[in-house]
Amino acid sequence: MKVKLNPNKEVVDTIKEGLKKTGGYCPCRTEKTDDTKCMCKEFKEQIKDPNFEGYCHCMLYYKTAD
């Protein structure tokens, strides 16, 4: 399993700027809870699945299945 940043630098820069403005909470979500703090609970649960491959909700991180 590998978790890496999105290869699109523009997306990464935009999301990181959003994270700064929200105090580390996913800028794509309206709620500010422990579950939406980056790295969000949803993605942490997804990456536990060895067969999951894909992006987190805001597309900052990508997890490979291998």
Side-chain angles (χ1 to χ4, degrees):
M1 169 186 80
K2 287 184 184 178
V3 176
K4 54 188 173 182
L5 289 176
N6 186 326
N8 184 323
K9 184 177 178 347
E10 188 175 326
V11 170
V12 171
D13 290 347
T14 300
I15 297 301
K16 284 186 173 183
E17 186 62 34
L19 287 168
K20 286 179 191 175
K21 290 178 181 177
T22 62
Y25 294 93
C26 181
C28 305
R29 308 223 186 218
T30 56
E31 290 184 331
K32 292 183 180 176
T33 67
D34 288 343
D35 291 348
T36 62
K37 189 87 167 178
C38 189
M39 176 180 291
C40 69
K41 180 180 178 181
E42 177 185 10
F43 193 59
K44 286 178 185 176
E45 292 297 319
Q46 288 172 323
I47 63 177
K48 287 179 184 178
D49 178 355
N51 296 317
F52 173 78
E53 183 165 342
Y55 288 99
C56 66
H57 181 80
C58 67
M59 298 192 63
L60 178 62
Y61 295 108
Y62 186 82
K63 187 237 178 200
T64 58
D66 48 45

